[in-house]
Amino acid sequence: MSRRVDCDIAVVGGGPVGVVAALALRDAGFKVVLVERGAAPKPFDASRYDIRVYAIAPASARLLDQLGIWPEIAATRISPYARMQVWQRAAERGLSFDAADSGAGALGWIVEQGLILSAAWNQLGALPRHVGVEALALQLPDEDDRQGRASLQLSDGTELQARLIVAADGADSPLRERAGIAVTSWRYAQQAIVAQLLMSSAQAATAYQRFLPTGPLAFLPQADGRHSIVWSADSEAATALLALDDTSFARALAEASQYALGEVIEAGPRLAFPLRLLHAEDYHRPGLVLVGDAAHAIHPLAGQGANLGFADVAQLASTLSAAREAGRDWASSRTLASYTRARKAANLEMLALTDALYRGFGNSLPGLRQLLGIGLEAVNKVAPVKALLATQAQRGAG
Ligand SMILES: Cc1cc2nc3c(=O)[nH]c(=O)nc-3n(C[C@H](O)[C@H](O)[C@H](O)COP(=O)(O)OP(=O)(O)OC[C@H]3O[C@@H](n4cnc5c(N)ncnc54)[C@H](O)[C@@H]3O)c2cc1C
């Protein structure tokens, strides 16, 4: 027999964006229920390093701090980076960003995925949740039903009734599909290889990125002096790199980075992720709103995917709160449209930038590649452009 549960907002998806959304909306005074089909994250094990890391922008760190998540992350393990070196042909002729140029202490922080997740879940406290439970059938209210409720059937037999469902169910978002929201999407002909390495002569607190003709290679500094790499390589090159033994992979990597961080002393196991661009044509329907990868997925070359999702959350919480405080219907299509307008512009800007960088440095457009190569070297000499780019990196999600 089905059990009915009522709430203001049901958040579907307990990934980084969904949990942060549940916390932000609860702290804004809404009655929230969280649904996650997987298991809750295991307590973070600091004796080992998580192979997946995120570059967290200052705006995201501020949000995580307001929600009480950041103090646990900072007390456990973070790695600030104050410099970023980006180049194409020769490291000494590339771009370098310095936090000091924009008057900040850090450009961002490298944080392990498992730590973000466990610290965020630890803040849930008594927030009602259905874990190991899938959101199944979705029913949304009619556009003109002003006090209508959305209904969600869960795999544990619960019927969840909410004024608003927040779909934070990832890039394949089943809820987005059930709501009939179309997407613009294409697969990049690249895979991202991630691994952890010890390099012989990297500078402290510095992130590196080289744009190779076959895709960008990033080195993100870890707290123990190692680096996490994200090497996005054309599918054929990625397959070949994944097949190499550790010694040959280390050699290929040192050559690809032009020894800018010296030799590879130690290389850990490799994992690969297929890459795509995805953007939802709309971010809302009556009673439903999209956040995070459910609304947009981007190439990881700028390390911005989760940061954009956190910015969605901050915007959604403030838009809903402002509507409620002004005595308007906080779940109305008008309120959701105002959230959509604010986030779509910022998300599309980052999608376009990362896509242009992918294409500009890829094999397919040698003319543009050359132009951007010159551009990078030129831009390094132009302080205002550099400052603008650094501010963009600072703003992260904007
Ligand atoms: C190689 C690589 C490197 C990256 N580096 C960075 C970086 O440095 N910085 C950065 O900001 N971003 C980075 N990203 C992007 C980042 O990983 C994503 O943007 C982020 O994980 C999206 O989080 P999310 O919570 O929106 O979605 P997800 O993490 O996909 O979570 C979705 C959740 O929804 C649950 N779910 C799905 N369907 C249902 C259902 N029907 N019922 C219940 N639960 C459901 C899933 O189980 C899952 O837990 C990187 C990505 C890649 C591939």
Side-chain angles (χ1 to χ4, degrees):
M1 210 183 72
S2 104
R3 190 171 66 98
R4 198 179 131 162
V5 172
D6 281 290
C7 60
D8 292 331
I9 299 176
V11 176
V12 178
V17 177
V19 190
V20 167
L23 293 170
L25 294 165
R26 176 193 66 186
D27 288 3
F30 297 101
K31 194 177 155 203
V32 178
V33 171
L34 176 69
V35 182
E36 166 56 45
R37 71 178 168 198
K42 294 200 180 84
F44 183 68
D45 174 6
S47 69
R48 45 177 291 276
Y49 269 84
D50 193 343
I51 194 162
R52 289 289 314 272
V53 300
Y54 291 149
I56 295 294
S60 300
R62 280 193 294 278
L63 174 67
L64 299 180
D65 195 39
Q66 280 159 21
L67 299 174
I69 302 167
W70 195 252
E72 183 180 333
I73 292 176
T76 309
R77 189 155 65 206
I78 52 171
S79 175
Y81 60 101
R83 289 190 69 235
M84 205 163 135
Q85 222 174 302
V86 183
W87 78 102
Q88 186 185 22
R89 286 187 298 248
E92 62 283 4
R93 285 192 292 138
L95 247 180
S96 69
F97 302 106
D98 211 307
D101 289 349
S102 53
L107 287 173
W109 294 265
I110 306 302
V111 185
E112 291 151 86
Q113 184 186 49
L115 177 54
I116 294 192
L117 277 172
S118 75
W121 277 70
N122 284 345
Q123 291 301 314
L124 287 173
L127 189 140
R129 64 201 95 151
H130 299 254
V131 179
V133 171
E134 193 164 0
L136 301 171
L138 169 73
Q139 213 177 334
L140 297 177
D142 291 335
E143 177 78 63
D144 46 12
D145 181 359
R146 291 184 173 252
Q147 287 303 309
R149 298 180 82 71
S151 153
L152 201 55
Q153 196 62 50
L154 305 185
S155 61
D156 63 357
T158 306
E159 187 199 337
L160 209 48
Q161 295 258 335
R163 290 285 338 273
L164 183 64
I165 293 174
V166 175
D169 49 351
D172 290 322
S173 177
L175 290 184
R176 183 188 65 220
E177 207 178 307
R178 278 173 214 149
I181 300 177
V183 294
T184 303
S185 163
W186 55 81
R187 295 211 167 269
Y188 289 117
Q190 286 189 343
Q191 288 190 64
I193 300 171
V194 301
Q196 280 156 4
L197 309 155
L198 183 59
M199 304 300 296
S200 65
S201 51
Q203 286 180 40
T206 304
Y208 298 80
Q209 177 145 263
R210 181 177 182 210
F211 283 91
L212 290 147
T214 48
L217 164 61
F219 292 81
L220 309 171
Q222 286 184 179
D224 66 350
R226 282 166 203 271
H227 285 80
S228 282
I229 57 151
V230 183
W231 190 349
S232 306
D234 290 350
S235 304
E236 222 171 281
T239 308
L241 287 169
L242 287 165
L244 294 176
D245 61 40
D246 283 357
T247 313
S248 312
F249 180 72
R251 200 176 313 119
L253 189 80
E255 277 170 17
S257 58
Q258 298 180 308
Y259 301 91
L261 304 80
E263 301 275 359
V264 179
I265 297 177
E266 219 180 279
R270 286 154 254 163
L271 276 184
F273 297 86
L275 301 177
R276 65 172 142 175
L277 176 143
L278 179 145
H279 190 249
E281 284 176 10
D282 209 344
Y283 289 3
H284 70 98
R285 285 284 178 270
L288 178 97
V289 68
L290 308 180
V291 292
D293 275 22
H296 43 74
I298 62 172
H299 194 291
L301 65 86
Q304 288 298 330
N307 286 301
L308 292 180
F310 293 144
D312 292 347
V313 169
Q315 182 70 50
L316 184 66
S318 85
T319 304
L320 299 189
S321 303
R324 188 190 48 196
E325 274 149 36
R328 295 196 305 271
D329 179 4
W330 57 266
S332 70
S333 292
R334 191 175 148 207
T335 308
L336 301 181
S338 143
Y339 156 78
T340 299
R341 267 194 307 279
R343 289 309 304 152
K344 234 185 186 181
N347 290 333
L348 277 171
E349 194 184 355
M350 189 57 78
L351 251 75
L353 184 70
T354 51
D355 193 58
L357 282 170
Y358 163 79
R359 286 174 202 290
F361 288 98
N363 266 330
S364 51
L365 295 168
L368 182 58
R369 199 171 79 223
Q370 200 180 16
L371 191 74
L372 280 169
I374 295 163
L376 266 188
E377 283 143 26
V379 101
N380 201 21
K381 298 190 183 79
V382 184
V385 180
K386 246 180 92 170
L388 185 76
L389 286 169
T391 317
Q392 191 72 19
Q394 279 283 316
R395 252 195 325 142

